[in-house]
Amino acid sequence: MIKFFLMVNKQGQTRLSRYYEHVEINKRTMLEAEVIKNCLSRSKDQCSFIEYKDFKLVYRQYAALFIVVGINETENEMAVYELIHNFVEVLDKYFSRVVRH
Amino acid sequence: MPAPIRLRELIRTIRTARTQAEEREMIQKECAAIRSSFREEDNTYRCRNVAKLLYMHMLGYPAHFGQLECLKLIASQKFTDKRIGYLGAMLLLDERQDVHLLMTNCIKNDLNHSTQYVQGLALCTLGCMGSSEMCRDLAGEVEKLLKTSNSYLRKKAALCAVHVIRKVPELMEMFLPATKNLLNEKNHGVLHTSVVLLTEMCERSPDMLAHFRKLVPQLVRILKNLIMSGYSPEHDVSGISDPFLQVRILRLLRILGRNDDDSSEAMNDILAQVATNTETSKNVGNAILYETVLTIMDIKSESGLRVLAINILGRFLLNNDKNIRYVALTSLLKTVQTDHNAVQRHRSTIVDCLKDLDVSIKRRAMELSFALVNGNNVRGMMKELLYFLDSCEPEFKADCASGIFLAAEKYAPSKRWHIDTIMRVLTTAGSYVRDDAVPNLIQLITNSVEMHAYTVQRLYKAILGDYSQQPLVQVASWCIGEYGDLLVSGQCEEEEPIQVTEDEVLDILESVLISNMSASVTRGYALTAIMKLSTRFTCTVNRIKKVVSIYGSSIDVELQQRAVEYNALFKKYDHMRPALLERMPVLEKATTNGPTEIVQTNGETEPAVLETKPPPSGLQPASQANDLLDLLGGSDITPVIPTAPTSKPASAGGELLDLLGDLNLTGSPVSAPAPQIAQPSFLLDGLSSQPLFNDIAAGIPSITAYNKNGLKIDFTFERSNTNPSVTVITIQASNSTELDMTDFVFQAAVPKTFQLQLLSPSSSVIPAFNSGTITQVIKVLNPQKQQLRMRIKLTYNHKGSAMQDLAEVNNFPPQSWQ
């Protein structure tokens, strides 16, 4: 199950967030900051799946923007990885000339 | 008032803020403007304002004052209003807010709206945040829409149904008829959501699961079409047709085929086909293969298919892509229990992954490596794992060390190898080793009798340079204390013996004692070791005496107690010292399973679980021992020397031994440690051999040992079949007065030829009016079969005052001791 879907830039500013489980609003900002910290500390040749607390993060970087999806153990990580790319392609198609930051 | 700014403007403005404080200011200003606009009940701009509010909410600012506005937007007739209103409802409202119920009517109307897009909005919102009441009210509408021919609505209705079922599982049956021809659709959107709905239903109800098994052929057909069909621009992702739907179908097949032979058989072909035909050059194909492998491993597939699956995983391990390697390691971990041999074939690749840079991959590889260690590969694997322990991140070290210890214990090819491995772990990751490893290691070392000299030499060398790693220092101190004589005599066979003098050994132990880095527990080990050396060393006894007496005034209570007791050993009881400090015999690790596992350290037995309550603190034993001495009167009793507890001062074992009345210390020197060792087996008898006890209680009459002031104590007896000198007495204390007796403590003492063991009582309160009893078990060892006599001391609080009484019990029936 997908727990949340985030688009955060490198400076930690949230560009898009959608939570599918209830998370307190002040906890959200904390979560987003921690998640982006985890993603930023990864290098290019490390895998895109991070084990964080009791669930997993699947992240993908597009220029200065990180798309992070939090999933639980029933999800296929690689399918979610594809889903992220699919989402970006849809955004690209729908809003032509997308600038990512 | 000027028109409120558009959302885009707001976003641009906020982005110009250079600090958090600036951003907050801008947002507060805008919120104020929005609030006043809401107050004016402005219909034209409400939509715009709520949109801005939602954006600010996403950035983390409170937006609850917009909730009612969302409801107003939903009730509006304009589509643009409804759109924002429903979005706001999804983001801001949930069942925690009371106002959400006001939406129910609106949603109901919109579900029957003439425009499909409005119906779609309503379905989306209900499926996102609908509470149980709302779901109950509107389930009928959703079910109706599930049967419509409009695929746009059908797919949304299916997802909404999933949410309804999650919230109100009883309504599941209601959706059953509608699912009949869901899979007949051509539209992938409907197919996808239908599969999700079916999956949800099967996961929640085994009846549904049985019912839907008949859909397996249809699912197989759909999957086949997806694979075989040519290029379809609508659904293509990097050359594969609708991989998301394929993954979903595979997952549903997994649930349907689990534990069911017929379904599993029906899927075998298609799974093999997917596994072999899918393109593996891109991530998409690998995602599908991964799901296929998971399905194959979970259902009752034939062995050929399973081998195929593991080989796919093996191939994944060789792939350059990290994601795939991670996923492969995860799956292999899941399958290693069931298909051990197949996974073993990929062992070398897995071990290579230990050297990967990625933390997640390393962790997986480590877990998998431990699962793959067996008698044949243990040497090679250990080499790799030790190397890994050297170089891995600190977060892994504890787990890795524990894993190595476990594996070494199970598969060690020789004792020397085992000890070498342990030494290596202690020296590389000494501070990360878990606390329970120390007693285990000590026990292991005592067992390898021929390796003592070698072990102590290596340990000595290890702490010579560095004594900061606590577990290492603890084990080393213990060994030096025990085998110090071997160390200075230089008799090591396995290795070049080193020249060590007694003073050098004492130097290192004293530095451990003084060092700031040493934990209190470690200091205890060191002090005891120094004390033991007083019998093993010949020229430095005075130095040892000095050290021990210094610590008699240590601030650390534990050290002080030990030092004082050791001092007493030097002064008053010097004749007993050699006997007491003799070499430890080989410790038997009781390998009973379950609650009676006992680990022995330093002659203490520490039963892992006592059926009764935890014992009081370690300070009590000293006083109780003294009390018992008082009980039995003066000079004919040899005093009790409580053995110093090791790392667990409040352990049950220490407490029990200290309660023993007196030890049979006369006779040969061997007998001094002997009673301590005999006691362990004695205790072992009692604790683990309950079934061995032939309950001849019927044969032995019970007695009333004490009956005064309303307190009555009965003794019931049991004799052991295996050990006829053991009598188990169960005391029952009852209270016939009208007030409870609290803080009840029962103490007993027996004459010199007996040994006594008192287990923990069931409680310390005896309720009034005989409404309950305290039970306590006493074990008496009577090797000389003398007549049983006992003095008991009772202390308790009653009617607000402390009571105490002494009594002698002489009326033991002959069957209890003969």
Side-chain angles (χ1 to χ4, degrees), chain B residues 202-370:
Chain B
C202 290
E203 277 176 347
R204 287 195 174 251
S205 151
D207 295 329
M208 292 288 182
L209 180 60
H211 172 86
F212 284 128
R213 282 220 172 95
K214 60 179 197 267
L215 289 177
V216 169
Q218 207 172 358
L219 287 166
V220 167
R221 225 179 11 249
I222 298 175
L223 191 52
K224 195 161 186 156
N225 281 336
L226 281 174
I227 308 174
M228 308 302 269
S229 70
Y231 176 73
S232 148
E234 235 179 273
H235 307 121
D236 181 79
V237 177
S238 303
I240 299 191
S241 188
D242 205 343
F244 303 108
L245 180 57
Q246 291 192 32
V247 165
R248 282 273 175 207
I249 293 181
L250 285 165
R251 201 174 298 166
L252 180 56
L253 286 176
R254 181 155 82 234
I255 297 174
L256 292 175
R258 203 179 275 157
N259 291 331
D260 186 77
D261 294 318
D262 296 325
S263 314
S264 306
E265 206 178 308
M267 314 176 190
N268 265 325
D269 287 337
I270 190 66
L271 288 173
Q273 207 176 358
V274 174
T276 39
N277 284 353
T278 313
E279 270 270 339
T280 56
S281 53
K282 297 261 181 60
N283 184 61
V284 204
N286 289 325
I288 297 178
L289 276 180
Y290 176 42
E291 194 73 33
T292 315
V293 165
L294 288 178
T295 303
I296 293 177
M297 301 316 294
D298 224 4
I299 64 174
K300 291 191 173 263
S301 48
E302 52 183 28
S303 59
L305 204 51
R306 292 181 94 90
V307 169
L308 177 62
I310 297 206
N311 287 343
I312 292 178
L313 289 178
R315 254 196 350 255
F316 277 179
L317 278 181
L318 298 167
N319 197 308
N320 285 328
D321 189 342
K322 301 289 167 142
N323 296 339
I324 297 173
R325 280 217 288 242
Y326 172 83
V327 144
L329 286 172
T330 315
S331 329
L332 282 172
L333 197 55
K334 284 189 217 154
T335 62
V336 74
Q337 304 302 332
T338 44
D339 293 84
H340 192 91
N341 293 330
V343 181
Q344 279 281 359
R345 257 180 259 137
H346 301 281
R347 187 165 47 86
S348 46
T349 332
I350 293 171
V351 166
D352 278 336
C353 290
L354 281 173
K355 308 195 181 85
D356 203 293
L357 291 166
D358 185 303
V359 172
S360 320
I361 291 185
K362 272 204 271 216
R363 178 169 282 283
R364 287 275 177 272
M366 179 181 83
E367 290 166 4
L368 202 48
S369 303
F370 280 128

Side-chain angles (χ1 to χ4, degrees), chain A residues 15 47-48 51 76 82 86, chain B residues 244 291 323 326 358 364:
Chain A
R15 296 304 187 210
C47 79
S48 302
E51 274 153 50
N76 179 334
E82 272 310 307
N86 196 341
Chain B
F244 303 108
E291 194 73 33
N323 296 339
Y326 172 83
D358 185 303
R364 287 275 177 272

Side-chain angles (χ1 to χ4, degrees), chain B residues 1 19 180 228 315 338 410 466 493 547 592 660 738 783:
Chain B
M1 170 149 185
T19 68
K180 241 177 12 176
M228 308 302 269
R315 254 196 350 255
T338 44
K410 273 204 272 190
D466 163 33
E493 298 124 20
V547 172
T592 51
L660 287 164
E738 66 281 3

Side-chain angles (χ1 to χ4, degrees), chain B residues 502-575:
Chain B
E502 297 184 0
D503 275 306
E504 283 170 346
V505 175
L506 287 175
D507 279 339
I508 189 77
L509 284 176
E510 272 191 66
S511 352
V512 171
L513 264 180
I514 298 173
S515 161
N516 287 335
M517 296 185 281
S518 300
S520 176
V521 167
T522 314
R523 292 211 181 102
Y525 270 94
L527 191 59
T528 306
I530 291 181
M531 189 59 196
K532 285 192 208 166
L533 289 174
S534 71
T535 48
R536 295 165 180 46
F537 282 177
T538 43
C539 2
T540 45
V541 184
N542 284 327
R543 181 174 172 184
I544 295 178
K545 271 198 208 171
K546 220 170 57 156
V547 172
V548 168
S549 63
I550 291 175
Y551 280 89
S553 43
S554 159
I555 303 179
D556 185 328
V557 177
E558 175 67 31
L559 278 185
Q560 195 190 89
Q561 179 177 354
R562 290 185 190 216
V564 165
E565 290 162 4
Y566 293 155
N567 240 352
L569 258 189
F570 273 125
K571 301 226 164 60
K572 284 209 282 178
Y573 305 111
D574 203 40
H575 55 282

